[in-house]
Structures are given as C-alpha cells and as structure tokens.
Amino acid sequence: MNTGAVILGNHGFFTPELSPTSLRTVKPAANDASWVDLGILSEVTVQHEREERDIFAPTPGVLRLYDVLETKRQLSINLTAQEMSPKAFEMLWGTLALTGASTQYNPLEGSTKRGWLKLQQYGQNDAIFNTVDVWVQMKVSGEVSFGENIVSVTFEARVLHSTLNTGTLA
C-alpha cells in the first residue's frame, strides 16, 4: 500500500442470512446470485470502538498508567445510499424479504437482518483499492426524508464475529 491522497468510490453488496450460501460460517462466492447491490453510495463511514481497562502500577510509590487492556471491540460501517432499493424499503419498514417484483408488504413483519456485506472501494484511477467481506447485522439508521430532495438512506452495518471476515488491500 502506497501512502498518498485518495478519493474512494464505494460499492456495497449484501446477501441475507436466509440464503443457503450465506451463514456466519459460509461466505457466498463473489458471483453468487444472492448478492444485492445497495445502490449508489455517496458516502461510507467506519467507526472502530473499544472498551478499555486501565492498569495502574506503583512506580515506585505513585500509581501511574502501566498498561491498557481491551475488553470489547466493535466496528460499525455506515453506507449512505442515494437510491431507494427493495432492500432499503425492506430494512426501513421492517418487512419480510422484498424483491424488484414485490408489490405488497407488511410493516414490522420482518426480523433482524443479518448477512454478508461486501464493500468494494476504488481509487480515483478506477483501480480497486480495498475489498472487505464482513458478517453483519444491518438496518436502516436514522430518519429517511421523502420530500423534494433525492431520498437518502443510511444503512448501518454492525460487524459481528465470523472467522471468515476478511479485507484485502490492493
């Protein structure tokens, strides 16, 4: 990886847990038909949080910070989409699975959405820069406004533990 300024174009794909090829212990192939494009992404943010415990030791008589132990780790990825996809409607309204052919839905009938998130990031030279595959719990975060501006939907993906979580830098 070279150091330098970069502008990244983001592409996000999600495949739900209910697919037989999408489980915490089974990651779907890149060409699996269950991957759903999350639409035009205008922004992606990543937040790494951790809980720490400070260890103080007498050195020799005053207690000074001696070590820091991490006890909890959490990674959240927010993807802001500029399109209203069936997956966005599904997560916003809490429905059962929707497709491009869906015409009817029942709000709050669906369950928690878990599955694989694939994030592909390209540099301004159109070359792949970073690819991340993570097992997540995903939802629409915050308020969605339906007005005179383009509808913007923010997906919040909280990374869950899987031994198959991986990232690749180009």
Side-chain angles (χ1 to χ4, degrees):
M1 177 182 190
N2 293 324
T3 302
V6 65
I7 296 172
L8 297 179
N10 301 289
H11 301 266
F13 306 90
F14 180 75
T15 183
E17 177 179 33
L18 301 177
S19 168
T21 59
S22 179
L23 303 168
R24 185 187 302 258
T25 56
V26 179
K27 187 183 339 181
N31 62 352
D32 192 296
S34 66
W35 287 107
V36 175
D37 189 338
L38 295 175
I40 296 170
L41 299 180
S42 62
E43 183 176 44
V44 171
T45 61
V46 178
Q47 183 174 356
H48 181 180
E49 299 176 67
R50 60 191 145 267
E51 193 171 300
E52 301 172 337
R53 298 288 187 261
D54 294 343
I55 308 297
F56 289 86
T59 54
V62 174
L63 294 178
R64 292 185 176 93
L65 184 62
Y66 185 77
D67 203 355
V68 178
L69 301 178
E70 283 188 14
T71 59
K72 295 180 182 175
R73 294 178 184 166
Q74 177 173 295
L75 193 62
S76 298
I77 304 168
N78 290 319
L79 307 100
T80 303
Q82 300 293 306
E83 293 182 308
M84 264 321 274
S85 65
K87 189 58 67 184
F89 246 83
E90 179 183 322
M91 290 185 195
L92 176 62
W93 293 97
T95 73
L96 296 172
L98 297 175
T99 68
S102 296
T103 59
Q104 189 272 330
Y105 63 92
N106 299 94
L108 302 180
E109 287 298 314
S111 60
T112 300
K113 307 298 183 197
R114 288 184 191 85
W116 284 97
L117 172 67
K118 179 182 290 295
L119 175 62
Q120 296 174 327
Q121 297 180 298
Y122 291 81
Q124 65 274 12
N125 60 356
D126 288 339
I128 191 77
F129 183 83
N130 182 35
T131 302
V132 180
D133 291 328
V134 284
W135 179 250
V136 298
Q137 182 264 337
M138 193 132 120
K139 64 183 179 182
V140 167
S141 171
E143 188 175 273
V144 176
S145 178
F146 299 97
E148 65 182 64
N149 293 319
I150 296 170
V151 176
S152 179
V153 177
T154 300
F155 296 100
E156 179 186 357
R158 295 179 67 194
V159 177
L160 305 174
H161 177 72
S162 171
T163 57
L164 302 177
N165 288 346
T166 187
T168 305
L169 289 170

